[in-house]
Amino acid sequence: MLIRTRRGWEIPERLVVPEELVMSRRRLLKGAGALALAGAVAACDNSNETQNSAAPARQTAESDPTASLYPFKHNAAYTVDRAITPESIVASYNNYYEFGVEKDDPVHNAGRLPIRPWEISFEGMVEKPFKTDFDTLIKAMPLEERVYRHRCVEAWSFVAPWSGFAMKALMDYAKPVSGAKYVVMKSWLNTDVAPAQNMVWVPWPYTEGLTLEEANNELAFMVTGAYAKPLPKQNGAPLRLVTPWKYGFKSTKGIPRFIFTDERPKTYWMALGPDEYGFWANVNPAVPHPRWSQSSEEVLGTGERVPTQLYNGYGAQVASLYSNLKDERLYM
Ligand SMILES: Nc1nc2c(c(=O)[nH]1)N[C@H]1C(S)=C(S)[C@@H](COP(=O)(O)O)O[C@H]1N2
Ligand SMILES: [Mo]
């Protein structure tokens, strides 16, 4: 995404530049000064976030104790009128900024992320905060496979068979208290595997959130696998969100923390570019991004552009969530 860093907080004015410059490899290589600065302030930044693993940066292949659970039972209620995108494309054309800004960076770099064991915490406004292990959690969930469209805010899209479970089942498991209104999903923080997380002017860890009403909508899906196998790390293993009616940046990958709150969270992209990225981020072809049109999308692997649909084609399931929110910026 092309974004603009809004504030000068910890950073000198010269670093307040578009993300493609802040984050590009070229800048990382040339910007020794910027990196020195990152090192200088790293110690006092992110102090309230725990590094979730001290594991070595390179790991040998981890065995996946959930592999035998696949394939999950296909749920025919969730299919789309387009061809499924080839697996090789979905697994190699990725956004995962922890691992770099180029689309083929995650497939090359995400293998370094240790994902076993993977502890998941439920925090904040729940009956009783608790932690569980991913391999334990998955066995407690109603596993199924669904085919969904994916629409990135950058105007490309694909269709993938995701394996996982309804987010509602996870919400029931977490037991939020009645005053909780939002669920915040924070990704991992581990500078050993993601040197990009040394850039302290970027609001790591990647953070997104939904209202609990959205999280309990039938479409919200927690994804553990794709193409009938455990999820590749570049797609967000071991656990990611998928909200197919929203732009793809809402769907946090690699989640170890769910935090329940009554305050609307400030998300990663809201912090980086508040004029361009908002909380709701529902797909709408009639509302352009400030710097490009959202009216159509390139379908990966087809060489075709197709018209984008309101709510990415999922209005029947989700439009009612927003009927009383007309004054909000629902589509960015
Ligand atoms: N932790 C994390 N999650 C993330 C991102 C990211 O950079 N970091 N990128 C988002 C964006 S912009 C998109 S389009 C999707 C891409 O998912 P995919 O690579 O599996 O297609 O992941 C989303 N989840
Ligand atoms: Mo995206």
Side-chain angles (χ1 to χ4, degrees):
M1 272 180 257
L2 309 175
I3 60 87
R4 224 160 269 281
T5 304
R6 178 178 53 158
R7 293 185 302 186
W9 7 280
E10 315 99 326
I11 61 178
E13 226 23 62
R14 68 188 167 84
L15 292 178
V16 184
V17 295
E19 184 215 39
E20 67 268 30
L21 293 180
V22 173
M23 297 186 77
S24 74
R25 278 207 213 98
R26 196 160 47 90
R27 186 177 180 94
L28 277 180
L29 295 174
K30 287 191 184 161
L35 279 181
L37 172 79
V41 267
C44 56
D45 194 73
N46 289 334
S47 50
N48 56 341
E49 306 287 349
T50 36
Q51 299 260 335
N52 75 318
S53 176
R58 286 192 188 277
Q59 293 229 136
T60 49
E62 296 142 327
S63 64
D64 190 324
T66 64
S68 62
L69 299 173
Y70 294 82
F72 297 176
K73 190 172 185 297
H74 182 73
N75 185 337
Y78 302 99
T79 50
V80 305
D81 55 4
R82 284 184 206 160
I84 288 177
T85 305
E87 180 180 0
S88 59
I89 294 176
V90 173
S92 64
Y93 185 92
N94 303 104
N95 277 339
Y96 205 159
Y97 287 98
E98 288 87 335
F99 294 116
V101 293
E102 308 296 339
K103 297 294 187 249
D104 62 348
D105 282 336
V107 67
H108 291 118
N109 299 332
R112 299 197 300 245
L113 179 69
I115 60 167
R116 289 296 185 296
W118 190 268
E119 193 171 71
I120 299 174
S121 64
F122 299 88
E123 307 171 33
M125 297 179 71
V126 289
E127 285 179 14
K128 194 170 187 281
F130 67 102
K131 294 180 176 181
T132 186
D133 176 76
F134 173 78
D135 298 322
T136 307
L137 174 72
I138 191 172
K139 288 182 194 125
M141 292 292 120
L143 305 178
E144 56 177 284
E145 179 186 73
R146 302 179 177 189
V147 176
Y148 275 168
R149 278 187 280 271
H150 177 99
R151 172 60 157 80
C152 177
V153 73
E154 296 164 331
W156 50 265
S157 71
F158 61 76
V159 175
W162 299 119
S163 303
F165 47 86
M167 190 173 191
K168 182 177 190 313
L170 189 68
M171 298 298 97
D172 293 346
Y173 184 83
K175 299 197 173 70
V177 296
S178 61
K181 291 193 176 68
Y182 299 91
V183 55
V184 182
M185 283 145 282
K186 286 194 183 279
S187 190
W188 49 273
L189 198 56
N190 185 337
T191 50
D192 290 344
V193 296
Q197 292 185 331
N198 284 311
M199 293 187 281
V200 295
W201 57 92
V202 179
W204 306 111
Y206 197 94
T207 300
E208 263 302 342
L210 297 173
T211 64
L212 281 185
E213 204 190 356
E214 291 176 320
N216 285 315
N217 182 273
E218 61 167 303
L219 286 181
F221 202 51
M222 297 308 311
V223 166
T224 64
Y227 297 86
K229 296 186 291 289
L231 206 56
K233 292 183 184 181
Q234 63 272 22
N235 291 111
L239 184 65
R240 71 172 290 177
L241 172 68
V242 166
T243 43
W245 71 99
K246 292 179 179 286
Y247 291 117
F249 66 84
K250 293 296 292 184
S251 59
T252 313
K253 297 176 173 180
I255 306 173
R257 298 179 68 194
F258 293 85
I259 304 161
F260 294 81
T261 167
D262 55 6
E263 273 175 47
R264 187 174 298 179
K266 187 175 192 181
T267 66
Y268 177 89
W269 289 107
M270 286 165 76
L272 281 173
D275 299 331
E276 307 197 348
Y277 304 102
F279 176 76
W280 298 104
N282 295 311
V283 175
N284 187 337
V287 179
H289 183 278
R291 288 181 286 124
W292 59 84
S293 166
Q294 294 291 21
S295 65
S296 67
E297 64 206 50
E298 181 193 340
V299 185
L300 297 183
T302 66
E304 275 174 37
R305 286 196 86 80
V306 301
T308 289
Q309 303 176 56
L310 181 60
Y311 295 114
N312 202 23
Y314 297 100
Q317 291 94 334
V318 300
S320 65
L321 291 170
Y322 308 105
S323 50
N324 296 324
L325 295 171
K326 299 279 186 254
D327 297 334
E328 303 240 6
R329 297 193 305 181
L330 291 171
Y331 307 108
M332 62 169 285

